[in-house]
Amino acid sequence: MSFKIAVAGTGYVGISNGILLAQHNEVVALDIIESKVDMLNNKISPIEDKEISEYLATKKLNFRATLDKKEAYENADYVIISTPTDYDPETNYFNTQLVEIVIQDVLEINPTATMVIKSTVPVGYTKEINEKFNTSNIIFSPEFLREGSALFDNLHPSRIIVGEKSQRAQTFANLLSQGAIKKNIDILLTDSTEAEAVKLFSNTYLAMRVSYFNELDSYAQTHGLSSKDIINGVGLDPRIGTHYNNPSFGYGGYCLPKDTKQLRANYKDVPSNIIGAIVESNSTRKDFIADSVIAKMKSLALNADTPIAKAKEGCKIVGIYRLVMKSGSDNFRASAIQGIMKRIKAKGIEVIIYEPVMKENEFFNSKVIKDLEEFKTASDVIIANRFETILEDVKDKVYTRDIFNSDS
């Protein structure tokens, strides 16, 4: 049986779900940006994602994009809501305005459609929003994907969770499973609030693991020890494992920073220590990395054999190699290296940036250089959250904590 499915929002979540489902269903993606709609209708991905680009170009999909909300929502069986929900530090709450605009539009155009919120929301939100709009047609289904490999993760999901114990929830879960390559996928139906909690606790656990190995690395660097040997030894315990253990400048990206802060806010009436410490640890790590970079600059400047000895006090220019969180992504929202950059600039140090996916020539008043060789020459020290082989010829002036040369 085939369904009509509307998708509101064409970011990583919306497009990856839309393409997954368009293999066996009619999918209409709605966005307010005309250029993105045109690209999708011309089978071009507006975001950096290998599988999305491949599927749009080569697969037989019943998929189209539109600017017209009536075209999208009318006669739709399901409406997937995948609009941004940025964390608002003033309210300690996700900004769910765009989600609620979609809900209002769907209720006006097609009130019998089942709305599936894929955007991350606070714990308890789905129950509250059903009551607010006097409906029972809104359910929640958490998304577990990585930027740059969103469709891959939906084709090979770790699990499928839908926040309602009902036939329509089971049907939606089956549609996701039908489009996947992976077989025998674990499917879990829960109540909406539990499903919301799963999303926040999952991402906070991942942030905790990142923070743990980053603090291990800070200790090792401070005491002149081998982080690699310690991490390898720790990971040989099968209860810990050797995955997701590569030190970095901190966790970042679109999900982990905001999800950890939202969960911390949800704990305001619950005794806790760990959740708040995870958020604080990430800030501490950025302080440590910035101080380490400045120390490297000073040590290099004191070495008369280096070309930067000409600087009277430390180096002249620090180069930021890539703002994106990981290879294969074009998204640098809340990337950890931005926090390092801001801390270094606060010391009065000039910063330049190499980011080939950025159209602008400046980023927060720092020059953006698109030519790699020009960037290498102009930088006295280069900081890279992840080391790539194209930096091998300037390895001596690169500061990174990328021990295992992986994104995780």
Side-chain angles (χ1 to χ4, degrees):
M1 184 176 177
S2 179
F3 295 85
K4 179 184 177 183
I5 301 168
V7 178
T10 58
Y12 282 98
V13 173
I15 297 177
S16 61
N17 275 278
I19 291 174
L20 179 83
L21 293 165
Q23 296 174 95
H24 303 285
N25 304 275
E26 177 190 0
V27 174
V28 184
L30 176 70
D31 205 285
I32 60 173
I33 302 173
E34 186 173 4
S35 60
K36 291 181 74 175
V37 169
D38 289 342
M39 290 180 73
L40 286 167
N41 286 331
N42 286 305
K43 302 184 181 300
I44 301 170
S45 175
I47 57 178
E48 187 76 25
D49 187 294
K50 178 177 175 289
E51 282 74 25
I52 288 176
S53 296
E54 176 189 324
Y55 269 61
L56 280 172
T58 65
K59 299 293 183 179
K60 185 178 180 180
L61 304 172
N62 189 354
F63 178 90
R64 69 183 187 276
T66 183
L67 297 166
D68 184 350
K69 57 190 176 185
K70 187 175 180 182
E71 179 188 353
Y73 300 148
E74 201 167 54
N75 300 317
D77 299 288
Y78 291 94
V79 177
I80 295 175
I81 303 175
S82 55
T83 53
T85 51
D86 295 326
Y87 181 77
D88 186 342
E90 296 296 321
T91 62
N92 288 324
Y93 201 77
F94 286 135
N95 184 340
T96 56
Q97 281 185 319
L98 295 177
V99 171
E100 290 172 38
I101 289 171
V102 173
I103 292 170
Q104 185 68 58
D105 289 341
V106 174
L107 289 174
E108 290 175 1
I109 296 169
N110 183 5
T112 62
T114 299
M115 289 167 271
V116 182
I117 298 176
K118 280 284 186 180
S119 306
T120 306
V121 295
V123 177
Y125 177 79
T126 305
K127 182 180 179 182
E128 292 173 5
I129 209 66
N130 271 301
E131 293 172 357
K132 177 179 177 179
F133 285 97
N134 192 28
T135 183
S136 59
N137 282 342
I138 307 168
I139 61 179
F140 176 77
S141 176
E143 194 61 61
F144 307 104
L145 56 78
R146 299 165 294 172
E147 292 177 4
S149 58
L151 181 53
F152 180 90
D153 289 343
N154 274 322
L155 292 168
H156 306 271
S158 57
R159 71 279 207 199
I160 294 171
I161 298 176
V162 184
E164 187 176 81
K165 297 177 181 179
S166 66
Q167 184 55 54
R168 66 182 180 182
Q170 183 66 58
T171 299
F172 183 74
N174 291 343
L175 291 176
L176 296 176
S177 179
Q178 180 188 35
I181 293 173
K182 181 181 175 182
K183 304 302 178 186
N184 301 316
I185 302 164
D186 289 324
I187 294 176
L188 177 65
L189 303 185
T190 71
D191 290 334
S192 63
T193 304
E194 282 78 1
E196 292 159 351
V198 167
K199 176 60 183 286
L200 294 186
F201 276 103
S202 293
N203 276 348
T204 300
Y205 178 87
L206 294 176
M208 178 182 69
R209 190 171 172 103
V210 171
S211 297
Y212 174 85
F213 285 106
N214 281 343
E215 290 203 1
L216 183 160
D217 180 63
S218 294
Y219 180 89
Q221 182 182 326
T222 299
H223 292 281
L225 305 176
S226 168
S227 288
K228 186 173 185 178
D229 286 350
I230 298 172
I231 293 171
N232 281 335
V234 168
L236 289 175
D237 185 327
R239 295 170 298 177
I240 299 172
T242 57
H243 62 283
Y244 215 64
N245 62 358
N246 194 21
S248 66
F249 292 167
Y251 61 78
Y254 183 60
C255 290
L256 267 57
K258 70 186 183 79
D259 289 5
T260 51
K261 290 173 183 175
Q262 179 63 68
L263 188 59
R264 180 180 61 177
N266 284 139
Y267 260 87
K268 65 181 185 299
D269 299 321
V270 181
S272 68
N273 299 107
I274 292 176
I275 307 301
I278 294 167
V279 177
E280 293 165 9
S281 174
N282 207 43
S283 180
T284 299
R285 174 64 169 180
K286 292 174 186 177
D287 291 339
F288 178 84
I289 294 295
D291 290 343
S292 298
V293 171
I294 293 167
K296 178 179 176 69
M297 293 163 56
K298 290 179 178 177
S299 67
L300 288 174
L302 291 173
N303 185 345
D305 294 329
T306 66
I308 61 171
K310 59 190 178 187
K312 292 181 179 179
E313 293 184 9
C315 298
K316 293 175 66 179
I317 298 176
V318 170
I320 305 292
Y321 177 75
R322 305 303 307 268
L323 293 172
V324 295
M325 277 299 298
K326 58 182 72 176
S327 59
S329 170
D330 59 356
N331 186 10
F332 44 83
R333 290 176 293 184
S335 61
I337 202 166
Q338 290 187 53
I340 313 303
M341 183 181 80
K342 292 173 184 176
R343 285 162 170 79
I344 292 172
K345 290 179 69 172
K347 299 291 186 181
I349 298 167
E350 183 180 354
V351 168
I352 60 174
I353 300 163
Y354 173 71
E355 184 47 78
V357 303
M358 182 175 280
K359 296 177 182 178
E360 296 80 8
N361 293 319
E362 281 194 350
F363 183 76
F364 285 103
N365 298 316
S366 289
K367 183 180 179 182
V368 177
I369 297 175
K370 312 291 174 58
D371 182 87
L372 181 59
E373 295 308 314
E374 179 187 350
F375 169 78
K376 290 177 180 178
T377 301
S379 302
D380 294 309
V381 168
I382 295 171
I383 63 175
N385 187 48
R386 291 294 178 242
F387 186 84
E388 296 183 12
T389 54
I390 55 176
L391 295 175
E392 196 68 43
D393 60 325
V394 290
K395 189 173 183 178
D396 288 347
K397 60 179 178 181
V398 173
Y399 178 86
T400 185
R401 299 309 299 165
D402 181 11
I403 292 172
F404 298 106
N405 296 116
S406 68
D407 282 330
S408 60

